[in-house]
Amino acid sequence: TGRRLAVPSTRDEIAALGATLNGLLARLQEALERERGFVADAGHELRTPLAILRTELELAARPGRSWEELVEAVSHAGNETDRLIRLAEDLLLLARADNAQTFLRPGPLALPDLLATAARGARTRAAERGVSVVVHSPSPLSVAADPDRLRQAVDNLLDNATRHAPAGSVVEITATSSPTGTVTVEVADRGPGFPEEFLPHAFERFHRAETARTRDGGGTGLGLSILQAIAQAHGGQATARNRSGGGAAVTLELPTDAAPDHPQHRSCT
Ligand SMILES: Nc1ncnc2c1ncn2[C@@H]1O[C@H](COP(=O)(O)OP(=O)(O)OP(=O)(O)O)[C@@H](O)[C@H]1O
Ligand SMILES: [Mg+2]
C-alpha cells in the first residue's frame, strides 16, 4: 500500500482535489502492480522451455550418444525453441496492441472467406479426433478490420475450441451482423465449458482454467488476452460464456466501421 494525501475533512475544493489525487495514485499503483505481475509471469513462462532446452542440449552433448538419441534430443530442443518463439511473438503482439494506430493495418475484407479459410485450417487437426468445424455466415458480410489480426483472433478461438471439443462433436463458427453497426463472430464448442469462477478472469494474461500446467497439455494462457487486445484495438470487444446444453462460446464483436484508436473505446487505466 502506497502513501496517500491526508484529505482534510472540509468539503471544499482542496478536499475534492485531495480525493481525486488519491484515486489517481491508487490507479497508478494498480497499473504498476499489474505490469509487475505480467513481467513475473512472462519470466516464469520463459524459464520452463529454456530449462528443457538446456537439458536436451546437455543430453545431446554427452559422450557416447547413439544417432537415434541425438536425433531425439535435437528434435525436442527444436520443439521447445518453437514454443519460445511463439511466446516471444505473443508477448510482442500484446505490447504493440496498445497502440492501435501502428498495430492495425485495416482494410475491407470478406468475412465469410476469412472464416472459411480459418475453418479449413482448423479441420486438419480437428478431424484426427472426429471433430468437425462448420461455418454459419450470411454471405455478403464485410467489415473494415485488419485481416491478419482478425484471422489470428479467430485461429486462437478455433485452437481453444477444437482442443476442448469432445470426439465426434461439432465446433460452430457463427457470424452475424446487427443493424446497430456491429459484426459478431462466435466460436462455440461442446466441451466442458469454462469453470464459472474462471469466467471473470478469462481474458487476463496467462490465466488458465486447468490447474495442471503440463508440458504439452495446453498453451500459455495468452490466446484469449490476444483476442481481447485485437478486439479492443478495433474498438470492439470480446466476451466468453458457457452455452446452455454445455460447452464454451467466445464472441468477438467489431464495429462495422471499425476505426482504429476510436477515442471512446480507449480505456485510461
Ligand atoms: N473452448 C474452451 N473450453 C473450455 N475452456 C477453455 C476454452 N477456451 C479456453 N479455455 C480455458 O481458458 C484458458 C485460457 O485460454 P487461452 O486461449 O487464453 O490460453 P491457452 O489456450 O491455455 O494458451 P494459448 O492460447 O496461449 O496457447 C485455457 O487455458 C482454458 O483453461
Ligand atoms: Mg488458447
Side-chain angles (χ1 to χ4, degrees):
T1 54
R3 292 176 52 201
R4 295 288 180 272
L5 297 171
V7 178
S9 55
T10 52
R11 292 170 59 190
D12 54 11
E13 287 87 349
I14 301 291
L17 187 62
T20 308
L21 281 176
N22 280 344
L24 186 67
L25 284 173
R27 283 204 302 282
L28 274 175
Q29 191 174 0
E30 254 173 55
L32 213 62
E33 272 158 22
R34 245 198 332 269
E35 288 308 307
R36 221 176 267 152
F38 178 59
V39 172
D41 285 341
H44 228 70
E45 290 299 327
L46 285 168
R47 206 161 56 176
T48 314
L50 282 172
I52 297 170
L53 189 59
R54 186 190 173 149
T55 311
E56 295 294 351
L57 291 176
E58 274 168 10
L59 278 175
R62 257 184 222 168
R65 296 290 89 190
S66 72
W67 177 250
E68 285 74 24
E69 285 168 325
L70 197 61
V71 167
E72 204 190 328
V74 169
S75 130
H76 281 162
N79 289 341
E80 294 308 317
T81 309
D82 286 344
R83 225 175 110 182
L84 284 165
I85 293 172
R86 271 200 306 274
L87 185 59
E89 281 168 353
D90 286 354
L91 292 173
L92 276 175
L93 183 143
L94 284 169
R96 285 206 309 259
D98 281 343
N99 187 350
Q101 303 281 15
T102 52
F103 176 59
L104 295 180
R105 265 183 274 253
L109 64 92
L111 193 55
D113 293 346
L114 184 142
L115 296 180
T117 315
R120 200 176 309 134
R123 265 178 209 125
T124 327
R125 227 185 81 188
E128 289 167 14
R129 295 179 30 250
V131 171
S132 47
V133 182
V134 300
V135 185
H136 312 286
S137 168
S139 44
L141 191 59
S142 67
V143 56
D146 181 328
D148 292 336
R149 295 305 173 212
L150 195 53
R151 175 66 196 275
Q152 191 171 12
V154 173
D155 282 348
N156 282 357
L157 290 183
L158 286 173
D159 180 62
N160 286 349
T162 52
R163 221 171 52 216
H164 290 91
S169 68
V170 181
V171 167
E172 290 175 275
I173 311 172
T174 311
T176 44
S177 72
S178 85
T180 58
T182 57
V183 166
T184 301
V185 178
E186 184 185 74
V187 176
D189 63 66
R190 285 296 179 196
F194 299 100
E196 282 304 321
E197 68 278 9
F198 174 77
L199 276 174
H201 307 285
F203 296 102
E204 286 172 22
R205 294 163 180 186
F206 296 114
H207 253 267
R208 279 166 289 203
E210 296 95 11
T211 39
R213 298 190 166 191
T214 50
R215 186 173 158 189
D216 47 15
T220 37
L222 287 176
L224 288 179
S225 45
I226 287 174
L227 166 79
Q228 193 189 42
I230 291 172
Q232 285 176 350
H234 283 93
Q237 59 175 347
T239 46
R241 66 181 175 89
N242 284 319
R243 304 169 79 185
S244 59
V250 183
T251 304
L252 167 67
E253 194 185 310
L254 301 175
T256 331
D257 59 344
D261 217 4
H262 214 282
Q264 77 221 40
H265 298 291
R266 298 293 290 170
S267 60
C268 41
T269 43

